[in-house]
Amino acid sequence: MPGKNLSRDEAQQRASILAVDGYQVRLDVTSAPDQAAGTFRSTTTVTFRCSRPGADTFLDLLAPAVRSVTLNGRALDPATAYDGARVHVDGLAAENVLTVEADCAYSRTGEGLHRFVDPVDGETYLYTHYEPADARRVFANFEQPDLKAPFTFTVTAPAAWDVWSNAPHETVAADGGARTWEFAPTRPISTYLTAVVAGPYHVARDHYRRELADGTALEIPLSAMCRRSLAPYFDADEILGVTKLGLDFFHEEFDYPYPFGKYDQAFVPEYNIGAMENPGCVTFREEYVFRSKVTDAAYEARANVILHEMAHMWFGDLVTMRWWDDLWLKESFADFMGSYGLIGARTRYSSAWVTFANQRKAWAYRQDQFPTTHPITADIRDLEDAKLNFDGITYAKGASVLKQLVAYVGSEAFFEGARRYFKRHAFGNTELGDLLEVLEETSGRDLKSWAAAWLQTSGVNALTPQVTTDAEGRITELAVLQDGDVLRPHRIAVGLYDRDADGALVRTGRIELDVTGARTVVAEAAGLPRPALVLLNDDDLTYCKIRFDEESLENLRAGLGDIRDELARALTWSAVWNLTRDGLMPARDYVALVLRFAGQEDNIGVLQSLHAQAKTAVDLYADPAWRAEGGRLLADGALRELRGAVPGSDHQLAWARFLAQTAGGAEHLGLVRGLLAGSARIDGLEVDQDLRWSLWLALAAAGQATDEELAAELAADNTASGKRHHTQCLAARPTAEAKAAAWSAVIDSDELPSALVEANTAGFSIPAQRDLAALYAAPYFKLLERVWAERSIEIAMRIVGGFFPIAQTDGQTLAEADAWLAGHPQAAPALRRLVLERRDDLARALRAQACDRA
């Protein structure tokens, strides 16, 4: 489509001449329950000013048809004004009124206005998702973040439905089988932040009140909603309780009253991401409504996301980046505040920084070692670049760097800077310099060099201790070595750990210092007894990979699980995993550490990460000749820990799921089938619906689940979740027919929603079935450009990433990827980036296999 991929230059040119005064958007979705109806009526009236009268411009719109275009009372011919992606208008006046009436399409990919039919009761549900640029699938607009405006929505929907948008509704008028909802105007916001949620949702309501410093009271109506069929599982009290704690916390820290009136939170089906910060109408993936027993890590993750999205009400919604180059101005802050807020808001999740160190940073380290890594402040040329930059750099590395910044300038200076930032730029758009300005004011530090090192360069540093001792075992010198393409200033703590009387590894000393350059001497360590463990970046103040000196590493092999402090232990687990990924520790050695010490791990989130990483170590990083043995050891370990876990505990559930992931031998699969049939029992283990699907996936992947058995399980769980699980089980079967069916379902049709595309690719790509998947390597590379051209970017990303033959163990696929990259230099940059990243994953796996083999 001409102009579908809006460039930064085009956006800057448009913003240089336009100022938007307001939108009136009218949507008629009464056709939604009729699945044969593919479109809905959308009418947009936008009032805007032009500083260059007589100029021309365009609105963004992706719609099957445009009925009419009227500019300042002058009718334009849609056949010539609309090119399939843009509505072109010329002869602008100083003040303009433009109306576009279009037929827009209901979405099945989670982009635009998504329509979902609940298989449980046949009810239809709608919700919107736009970031970065899919509001144009629902109404004509200037689709860029710096042309903010107030929005007034009017939505006509079936009479039995409720409708929500960013602002409260003012009137609801009934007309036969429909009701029309008139919403109040919003405050000025960006197009991608607008929202509509409609359908027969189950709703829980509450209220938040806060006395403000000026003597007035802030009143915020609260609601949380989900599909009616999920209502029995909806723990709204817990969700709204975290919401109130978060509102208290952010008001205390930010000193700026919540500016968007009400606070609705909708948990919606087939959502492509975790959540979206639409002001006043936040949307979440409904997997956060737990149908079955989950570990406390899942509740912590949900609470983190609730606070992440709430932080966006200030960082992102009140103050918004000018263009996607500065996406970090909202996402890095929200990612940081999600963890910071769990502690500061006094929620029950006191291990939030442990989770951050163990999980979020793992995402950042992986992303930052790709050849496609980029600075936190990225060079975003267009919307396709923007879509791919919702990544581990923008979120987790940015949040890690902000944590380092707080250590660097102090928390009070940091939050006072945030307060000034909100007040100075409320309802406006900002760039990096605007934030640095207020932080320099409050901290008294020159942050330009700090920003240049941390925000405007890419790559992760590795810090390694260098320890020398005298004949009596005392430290003569402790130095920190820094590796990396860019050497950065790090504020770190060095932890010294020794065994106490009970044999635990405890911290006996802590030295905080600034690390600069390639080698920094820790002067305070001289003369101290040589500890059993030197732990760099103790307390996780900076963003880096940490290494160990040889003596520390040997002590960890013997006693990693003996580290008493859970954050120090999590940092150590993270470090040995990075050693494994970097081909510096054999995969089988990492597996041995997990098998020896994971059973001692108290933190359930860390334990579940260890399970995932150990499985990856065997599947991708181990010598192929040892892989079967490694898999058997993992399954044996899972069974042993499952039988020994406290009945009914989170740990028992985690080990049961890990057994399902690793089961391969007759003993393990026999227990799996026995648990499904009820002929086997583990005291305290409830085999509920989600665990049943995990067990069925194990049998399906082993070729021991029949079509009839899987169909019967789907019949017993005829839900959206059941359909996803059933689809994955079918694709996971180790037969050529199963792989062909999964491939065809995704490639030969564009009817599948993204949730089922993901289920098919996940089942198709079972690592143990790499020989079957290898047959599709050549077709995969042949279809890449067609997929990118014909599918929405959301679906194309899932296909490109999901079908890449990552599990291969020879150089053939690597050569095919290199040949494609060399032969397609003009392919879309975003597509090339995805392929290059998957290629790099494969190259890393091959290097790790060589290390394990050696």
Side-chain angles (χ1 to χ4, degrees), residues 611 615 631-643 651-665 667-673 675 682 685 691 694-695 697-699:
H611 288 164
K615 185 75 165 60
R632 184 189 63 77
L633 289 172
L634 288 183
D636 286 346
L639 181 56
R640 180 179 64 253
E641 296 292 345
L642 171 61
R643 294 192 185 282
H651 284 64
Q652 183 188 57
L653 177 59
W655 285 110
R657 289 177 175 169
F658 192 48
L659 176 65
Q661 293 166 20
T662 57
E667 179 187 5
H668 312 123
L669 292 171
L671 176 60
V672 165
R673 184 165 284 281
L675 289 171
I682 302 291
L685 180 67
L691 182 54
S694 296
L695 298 172
L697 181 59
L699 292 178

Side-chain angles (χ1 to χ4, degrees), residues 97-109:
V97 178
L98 175 63
T99 299
V100 179
E101 185 178 7
D103 293 328
C104 293
Y106 294 110
S107 171
R108 290 294 288 130
T109 65

Side-chain angles (χ1 to χ4, degrees), residues 117-377:
V117 179
D118 193 335
V120 174
D121 55 19
E123 296 284 6
T124 300
Y125 294 87
L126 303 178
Y127 64 87
T128 57
H129 177 68
Y130 299 148
E131 192 175 40
D134 283 319
R136 56 187 171 154
R137 296 180 185 273
V138 176
F139 60 94
N141 63 77
F142 300 112
E143 189 81 286
Q144 59 190 80
D146 59 342
L147 287 177
K148 283 185 166 183
F151 288 80
T152 303
F153 280 90
T154 302
V155 182
T156 302
W161 287 14
D162 290 323
V163 182
W164 294 263
S165 188
N166 304 91
H169 66 268
E170 293 186 326
T171 63
V172 181
D175 181 12
R179 288 193 294 173
T180 297
W181 299 68
E182 300 272 359
F183 292 91
T186 70
R187 303 298 295 271
I189 58 176
S190 301
T191 53
Y192 77 91
L193 292 169
T194 60
V196 171
V197 175
Y201 285 87
H202 165 78
V203 187
R205 292 184 170 85
D206 206 333
H207 197 83
Y208 176 85
R209 177 185 172 88
R210 183 178 182 84
E211 301 295 330
L212 301 179
D214 63 3
T216 62
L218 178 67
E219 306 279 353
I220 305 176
L222 308 177
S223 77
M225 66 202 78
C226 68
R227 288 185 288 130
R228 284 181 181 173
S229 63
L230 288 177
Y233 314 107
F234 195 42
D235 54 338
D237 289 346
E238 169 75 12
I239 290 165
L240 293 170
V242 172
T243 302
K244 291 178 181 179
L245 290 173
L247 287 169
D248 272 339
F249 172 72
F250 287 122
H251 280 105
E252 290 166 8
E253 292 292 351
F254 293 163
D255 191 34
Y256 192 106
Y258 172 71
F260 298 110
K262 65 183 180 66
Y263 200 83
D264 299 325
Q265 296 174 99
F267 292 78
V268 298
E270 297 182 333
Y271 206 43
N272 287 333
I273 61 172
M276 180 63 202
E277 68 268 20
N278 316 305
C281 190
V282 183
T283 41
F284 298 81
R285 65 186 299 120
E286 69 176 17
E287 284 77 8
Y288 288 125
V289 180
F290 306 121
R291 306 189 312 156
S292 298
K293 178 179 171 62
V294 296
T295 69
D296 207 46
Y299 288 97
E300 179 190 321
R302 183 179 67 184
N304 184 299
V305 173
I306 289 171
L307 296 185
H308 175 118
E309 303 309 323
M310 189 178 292
H312 273 311
M313 300 299 125
W314 291 266
F315 280 113
D317 296 358
L318 175 66
V319 184
T320 311
M321 74 271 154
R322 190 172 308 283
W323 177 248
W324 301 101
D325 292 350
D326 283 309
L327 175 62
W328 77 280
L329 279 175
K330 71 185 190 78
E331 293 303 348
S332 297
F333 277 88
D335 213 50
F336 170 75
M337 294 308 305
S339 296
Y340 191 95
L342 285 177
I343 306 297
R346 297 178 291 280
T347 71
R348 64 185 180 89
Y349 306 107
S350 58
S351 297
W353 286 124
V354 176
T355 304
F356 182 84
N358 184 254
Q359 296 179 15
R360 299 302 284 180
K361 280 193 165 182
W363 182 25
Y365 296 143
R366 175 175 180 264
Q367 191 82 47
D368 210 9
Q369 292 177 91
F370 282 142
T372 57
T373 189
H374 57 85
I376 294 171
T377 53

